[in-house]
RNA sequence: AGUCCCUUCGUCUAGCGGUCUAGGACGUCGCCCUUUCACGGCGAAAACACGGGUUCGAUUCCCGUAGGGAUCACCA
């Protein structure tokens, strides 16, 4: 990209960008901002670009940049073109500041930090708005060699109205704004300068960002006008709040997206769907595919008020996507978790078992953690552990049912769900028991728990040898019940 | 403090002057299905912040109040 790319030969009608600062991890709010930018660009057949705002050298880190890229990749928000690293463009930013200095739209300010601090203290004491008072605005007698910053000579009268695509028309009097610093005394650009210059050079047509930037937009517009550049359209989306209505914090889920993937075991499409529905709606639609989202997304449908993050609903949405997900994909996803829990590597046989049981398993899980832990009993080696519920079931089982059931099952030639169930029902009938009185002890013996997927499906998947073995194990631990 | 923004069930939202005795989803509760737990199905409770206008008629338009949020840097 050239230093000043005004050429726009084949400039797309819509160019959006996601511009995170790599000072932390990509959090959920940032992910939503990225999603809206992505969707809007794709909806209009335009471009979605990524810019890393790393001008804060002290706080920007490589791991943070990697985390941002990792998060966007996981969510599959594919950006167009090369990633723009803001810091590398510092010379261009300085060039613009100096250009403004030359044409009179900016000036040197020699006020020291201490000086400005006392100015603010006085304003605070007088209960006046704290703004730079423009003391160097019309002076050119700066001390030789003294450090200075370059400030924008912003209009002081009149007002500016931004037709925000989300917030609607917003007007602010120029008197409310002060002359912002463009270039610091060390020659580095401020964020305000850098964003405007980069957005212009990247050909950004729509600035979609958190509404914490709404106030900044007016200052940035003054700079854009001073440069006589085309003005982008703005869309300031409300920030996400925690369940208690307060700003999102770690307690609420302002975690890196990696936490949603790794710790919570969520699916990227579910996180995307949830984020999309947070502050945006399309009739009664809840589960919305990427393609539909692109077709339907419009900034005018984005709500103006902040919405609260609801983990329960996220889990629910994730559960729906989990049930619709491909079984083989889920097997792959839970493999590491299962291996860790089991303390051993997963074999092909294990994989096969997981694949066969996945349809049953996923109905009982809303995230990958649940899915993995729910699958464990299939893969444990005998004798499998019994939880409290299972122990109680075995202790209160009608005398002899387990042994009788074992005998019945052992006589089955066709080891199938249907055959297993038929024998169990027959046994219950002859002994005058309800099916549950037979099935529950069996469930305990075979799964080690009082809750599990369908018992006969489980036994069919486990196979004759393993099933019978587990029943034998249970029989061994049971106190000798008055024989027959 | 000032400036700016926002306000429909607990939560996310639909609604864009009459179709609202306000719809959907999550959550909650009940019932059904059923060998357990889930899934699934059915049903219930649950909201237009308040006060003024405008209008034949306001959830929908305007103003005020209250509440919430954003913002005060040589941070981004």
């Amino acid at each position: 990209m050239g230093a000043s790319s005004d050429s726009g030969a084949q400039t797309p009608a819509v160019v959006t960008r996601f511009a995170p600062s790599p000072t932390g991890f990509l959090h959920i709010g940032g992910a939503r901002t990225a999603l809206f930018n992505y969707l809007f660009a794709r909806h209009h057949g335009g471009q979605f670009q990524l810019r890393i705002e790393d001008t804060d050298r002290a706080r920007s880190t490589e791991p943070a940049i990697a985390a941002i890229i990792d998060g966007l990749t996981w969510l599959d928000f594919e950006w167009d073109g090369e990633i723009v690293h803001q810091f590398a463009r510092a010379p261009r930013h300085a060039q613009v500041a100096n250009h403004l200095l030359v044409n009179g739209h900016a000036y040197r300010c020699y006020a020291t930090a201490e000086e400005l601090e006392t100015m603010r203290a006085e304003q605070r004491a007088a209960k006046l708005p704290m703004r730079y008072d423009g003391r160097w605005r019309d002076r050119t007698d700066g001390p030789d060699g003294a450090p200075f910053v370059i400030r924008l000579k912003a209009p002081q009268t009149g007002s500016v109205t931004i037709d925000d695509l989300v917030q609607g028309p917003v007007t602010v009097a120029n008197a409310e704004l002060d002359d912002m610093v463009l270039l610091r005394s060390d020659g580095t650009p401020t964020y305000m300068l850098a964003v405007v210059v980069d957005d212009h050079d990247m050909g950004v047509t729509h600035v979609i960002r958190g509404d914490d930037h709404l106030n900044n937009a007016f200052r940035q517009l003054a700079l854009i006008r001073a440069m006589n550049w085309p003005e982008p359209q703005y869309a300031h989306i409300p920030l996400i709040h925690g369940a208690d209505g307060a700003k999102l914090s770690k307690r609420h889920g302002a975690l890196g997206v990696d936490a949603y993937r790794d710790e919570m075991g969520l699916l990227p499409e579910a996180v995307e769907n949830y984020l999309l529905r947070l502050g945006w709606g399309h009739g009664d639609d809840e589960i919305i595919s990427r393609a539909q989202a692109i077709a339907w997304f419009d900034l005018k449908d984005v709500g103006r008020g902040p919405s609260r993050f609801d983990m329960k609903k996220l889990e629910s949405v994730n559960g729906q996507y989990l049930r619709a997900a491909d079984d083989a994909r889920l097997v792959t996803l839970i493999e590491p978790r299962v291996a860790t829990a089991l303390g051993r590597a997963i074999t092909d046989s294990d994989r096969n078992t997981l694949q066969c049981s996945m349809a049953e398993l996923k109905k009982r899980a809303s995230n990958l953690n649940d899915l993995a832990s729910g699958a464990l009993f299939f893969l444990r080696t005998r004798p499998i552990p019994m939880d409290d519920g299972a122990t109680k079931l075995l202790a209160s089982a009608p005398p002899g049912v387990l042994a009788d059931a074992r005998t019945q099952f052992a006589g089955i030639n066709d080891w199938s769900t249907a055959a297993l169930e038929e024998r169990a029902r027959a046994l219950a009938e002859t002994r005058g028991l309800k099916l549950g009185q037979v099935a529950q002890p069996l469930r305990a013996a075979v799964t080690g728990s009082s809750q599990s997927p369908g018992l006969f499906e489980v036994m069919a998947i486990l196979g004759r040898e393993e099933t019978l073995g587990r029943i034998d194990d249970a029989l061994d631990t049971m106190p000798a019940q008055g024989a027959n």
Side-chain angles (χ1 to χ4, degrees):
Chain A
M1 173 182 314
S4 68
S5 54
D6 273 319
S7 50
Q10 59 217 106
T11 315
V14 169
V15 177
T16 66
R17 49 52 164 193
F18 176 52
S21 47
T23 54
F25 294 141
L26 174 62
H27 59 87
I28 206 73
R32 192 178 66 137
T33 301
L35 171 66
F36 286 4
N37 273 284
Y38 173 84
L39 256 21
F40 187 77
R42 293 288 173 266
H43 176 85
H44 291 283
Q47 288 191 353
F48 168 65
Q49 301 195 10
L50 176 60
R51 181 174 72 227
I52 303 294
E53 309 218 315
D54 53 356
T55 53
D56 187 336
R57 303 315 289 166
R59 293 198 297 158
S60 298
T61 67
E62 276 305 318
I65 293 176
I68 288 166
I69 292 173
D70 181 50
L72 292 177
T73 303
W74 179 60
L75 288 164
D76 191 29
F77 298 160
E78 199 180 350
W79 60 88
D80 298 301
E82 298 290 304
I83 296 176
V84 173
H85 290 268
Q86 195 162 59
F87 180 67
R89 295 175 41 78
R92 151 105 266 234
H93 302 147
Q95 179 191 38
V96 170
N98 282 301
H99 174 75
L100 254 14
L101 196 56
V102 171
N103 72 13
H105 281 296
Y107 60 94
R108 294 191 176 90
C109 168
Y110 292 87
T112 63
E114 303 76 57
E115 201 182 329
L116 293 175
E117 193 39 59
T118 62
M119 175 191 79
R120 286 192 199 98
E122 284 164 14
Q123 289 171 336
R124 193 172 12 243
K127 294 193 172 178
L128 291 169
M130 287 185 285
R131 301 190 201 105
Y132 174 67
D133 58 9
R135 57 185 63 184
W136 285 93
R137 185 177 166 104
D138 299 307
R139 289 173 63 181
T140 50
D141 56 338
D144 274 350
F148 62 86
V149 299
I150 295 181
R151 286 182 186 271
L152 178 72
K153 190 178 278 186
Q156 295 176 304
T157 57
S159 63
V160 182
T161 298
I162 287 179
D163 269 311
D164 195 277
L165 264 20
V166 168
Q167 306 292 342
V170 183
T171 302
V172 165
N174 284 140
E176 295 294 329
L177 279 19
D178 61 2
D179 291 344
M180 65 177 168
V181 173
L182 263 21
L183 213 60
R184 301 188 183 100
S185 53
D186 64 358
T188 61
T190 60
Y191 160 78
M192 289 289 190
L193 206 217
V195 199
V196 169
V197 175
D198 289 347
D199 281 345
H200 169 264
D201 289 357
M202 289 165 74
V204 173
T205 60
H206 297 261
V207 174
I208 304 169
R209 65 217 321 185
D211 69 2
D212 50 331
H213 287 288
L214 182 54
N215 295 287
N216 291 335
F218 295 92
R219 288 192 164 82
Q220 291 167 9
L221 209 44
L223 173 52
I224 290 169
R225 289 178 177 174
M227 286 303 289
N228 199 26
W229 281 341
E231 297 172 18
Q233 294 252 75
Y234 290 100
H236 289 93
I237 62 180
L239 265 17
I240 298 174
H241 285 197
D244 57 1
K247 200 171 164 184
L248 206 53
S249 69
K250 281 159 205 92
R251 252 288 169 273
H252 303 126
L255 310 163
V257 294
D258 59 307
Y260 291 82
R261 175 188 60 198
D262 304 332
E263 270 120 73
M264 299 170 164
L266 303 178
L267 263 19
E269 62 269 37
V271 173
E272 173 181 338
N273 196 140
Y274 176 72
L275 252 22
L276 174 64
R277 285 285 291 100
L278 201 57
W280 178 88
H282 183 272
D284 288 341
D285 298 298
E286 294 288 344
I287 298 300
I288 301 167
S289 70
R290 168 71 66 87
Q292 285 176 314
I294 289 174
W296 290 338
F297 188 76
D298 194 331
L299 288 169
K300 76 172 168 53
D301 299 319
V302 176
R304 283 119 307 209
S307 37
R308 304 184 186 199
F309 189 83
D310 183 359
M311 195 58 211
K312 283 272 183 49
K313 183 143 187 177
L314 209 203
E315 282 268 350
S316 167
V317 171
N318 196 65
Q320 293 186 61
Y321 275 95
L322 207 60
R323 265 163 255 136
D326 177 68
D327 291 347
R329 175 187 172 209
L330 293 177
V331 171
T332 304
L333 285 173
I334 64 170
E335 219 182 284
R337 294 163 206 269
V338 172
T340 301
L342 250 28
R344 64 173 173 80
I346 299 305
T347 66
D348 283 346
S349 159
D350 291 334
R351 253 174 232 115
N352 187 257
T353 300
L354 289 175
Q355 176 73 33
C356 292
S357 53
M358 194 52 74
E360 282 294 307
L361 253 21
K362 67 185 184 183
K363 282 195 296 201
R364 272 156 266 259
S366 60
N367 58 253
L368 297 176
N369 293 330
D370 292 350
L371 193 58
S373 58
L376 254 30
F377 78 88
F378 272 114
L379 308 183
R380 293 208 191 273
T381 39
R382 293 175 43 206
I384 62 168
M386 295 286 139
D387 67 19
D388 290 349
T391 306
K392 279 180 192 149
L393 278 175
L394 289 175
S396 61
V401 269
L402 219 47
D404 286 358
R406 197 230 182 271
T407 309
Q408 284 298 312
F409 295 151
I412 291 178
N413 294 318
D414 159 39
W415 190 265
S416 67
T417 304
L420 255 6
E421 180 165 355
E422 187 195 312
R423 294 292 178 118
R425 284 187 185 281
L427 174 61
E429 179 123 16
T430 60
R431 298 207 29 170
L433 297 170
K434 287 182 179 176
L435 182 54
Q437 291 175 287
V438 175
Q440 283 301 80
L442 277 169
R443 183 189 313 284
V446 172
T447 71
S449 168
S450 57
Q451 300 164 197
S452 81
L455 177 61
F456 306 113
E457 283 79 2
V458 168
M459 296 196 294
I461 292 168
L462 246 22
R464 164 187 232 106
E465 192 188 339
E466 181 68 20
T467 302
L468 260 23
R470 290 188 181 193
I471 294 174
D472 287 337
D473 291 341
L475 251 13
D476 287 346
T477 63
M478 290 174 80
Q481 297 176 342
N484 306 321

